Amino acid sequence: MKITQVTVNVLRVPVDRPYTAGGRTVDANWHVLARITTSDGVGGFGYVVYPRPDLMTTIGHAARELGEHLIGMSVLEPEAAWERLARRGDWVGPGGLLHTALAPLDIAVWDANGKTLGQPLHRLLGGYRDRLPTYASDGMWVSLSPDELAAAAKRHAAAGFSAVKLRLGKEATPEAEVRRVRAVRDAVGPDVRIMVDATESWTLTRARRAGRALQAAGIAWLEDPVHHQDVAGLAALRRELDVPITGGEHLYHLDAFRTLLEMRAVDVVILDLARVGGVTPWRKIAALAQAHRTPVCGHVVPEVQVHLLSAVPNGHMVEYVPRSVGILAAMPRIENGELVAPPAPGLGLELDEAAIRRYRVD
Ligand SMILES: [Mg+2]
């Protein structure tokens, strides 16, 4: 179970239909893929994915350099492995690029750990359940017209999702934002929950007005209404509004989550697996949230997040944004609006090697 080999590749995986997000055209999902091999022939992999090329090659170089320090370590000791790599990069961390480079390696260690022990990750990490409700937010971009949003929501509802999330933040008035929600409501009917992600677009004053209007329109949660560093603003909104406030996908470190939770700033914590630095820190943040009676959700990467969220009692929902379909043999299946954690050991996922050869850029 000693790690004998680590390889890292950067992949540019084209999207079927290019779209605009954050003012940029997205035509590919960029991956940093780490693979490890152990002395008894077990392989493990992990990746981070982002819909932009910026710094991805640099993150790949950093992961490759950090990966050299995994050689000789045991995949049954992921805490020790994470600590060693974090110390190597502590002068540029914690957080930031260090965590993003560490995450694919840490996920690969856990994948190999599960394969060595013959257990799927959701059991290895706690074993609370094997599936979770999932919501669709893919394609619900802020750049779409209300009619286009409604059509996307309708497709998701027809595919069996009982909750959808749209992005807001570009309209001139709260009333115009509400019109986008109403268009989606008319398309999906009364039984599908509608969540809203304001992607940190608003000032606190604007978030108060929009929050009240959206709450009256019946949204199920309001995500990232203000910048993530305005924790006091988030806490004020949470006190003033009845609709659940969610956030956390921009945070890197356990200490930042502690502040968020101690300030009682959110009703649901959202974790980004790349920013927190992989599975090893993810578990601690989820446990901290549990101590604050707060449910946790994942940010994208549903095929991995489904394991982590199924492992803990306060796992809430999986965000279904499948950005890695192009490099996987299959995605986990969805049954009755729930995403099912793959039962095979480790991540229970299989890479499409031909696709990886095709999409490699280094
Ligand atoms: Mg978000």
Side-chain angles (χ1 to χ4, degrees), residues 15 17-29 50-51 136-153 155-156 165-171 177 180 184 195 197 199 249 299-300 319-323:
V15 300
R17 283 187 298 177
Y19 60 93
T20 306
R24 300 162 193 253
T25 300
V26 176
D27 59 3
N29 287 311
Y50 206 64
S137 65
D138 202 28
M140 306 277 283
W141 314 118
V142 77
S143 55
L144 300 190
S145 70
D147 284 350
E148 290 169 327
L149 262 183
R155 280 196 297 274
H156 289 316
K165 186 174 84 183
L166 64 148
R167 289 149 193 95
L168 295 182
K170 292 291 180 289
E171 298 287 356
E177 303 282 25
R180 296 174 75 80
V184 170
M195 289 106 90
D197 185 350
T199 63
E249 72 178 56
H299 177 226
V300 303
E319 179 175 31
Y320 198 78
V321 180
R323 287 181 173 154

Side-chain angles (χ1 to χ4, degrees), residues 37-103:
T37 310
T38 71
S39 48
D40 32 18
V42 170
F45 68 88
Y47 49 80
V48 294
V49 52
Y50 206 64
R52 273 161 46 182
D54 311 283
L55 290 175
M56 279 309 228
T57 309
T58 306
I59 292 164
H61 283 308
R64 206 169 285 129
E65 185 179 336
L66 287 171
E68 290 170 14
H69 302 287
L70 284 178
I71 303 296
M73 298 204 81
S74 168
V75 293
L76 300 185
E77 296 172 353
E79 283 281 359
W82 197 93
E83 183 76 10
R84 178 187 280 192
L85 302 193
R87 276 175 187 269
R88 284 280 160 177
D90 61 4
W91 70 286
V92 292
L97 193 148
L98 173 64
H99 277 196
T100 316
L102 221 161

Side-chain angles (χ1 to χ4, degrees), residues 151-165:
K154 203 167 190 151
R155 280 196 297 274
H156 289 316
F161 288 96
S162 57
V164 296
K165 186 174 84 183

Side-chain angles (χ1 to χ4, degrees), residues 212-264:
R212 283 194 294 267
L214 291 163
Q215 176 171 287
I219 61 164
W221 87 25
L222 177 57
E223 178 174 329
D224 284 336
V226 294
H227 193 271
H228 65 274
Q229 285 174 326
D230 186 5
V231 182
L234 283 171
L237 287 170
R238 188 178 174 222
R239 278 194 306 274
E240 293 163 21
L241 299 172
D242 293 325
V243 68
I245 303 293
T246 68
E249 72 178 56
H250 300 278
L251 304 183
Y252 288 91
H253 202 265
L254 185 63
D255 292 334
F257 285 94
R258 184 179 59 193
T259 303
L260 191 75
L261 289 158
E262 285 180 353
M263 296 270 294
R264 301 199 170 275

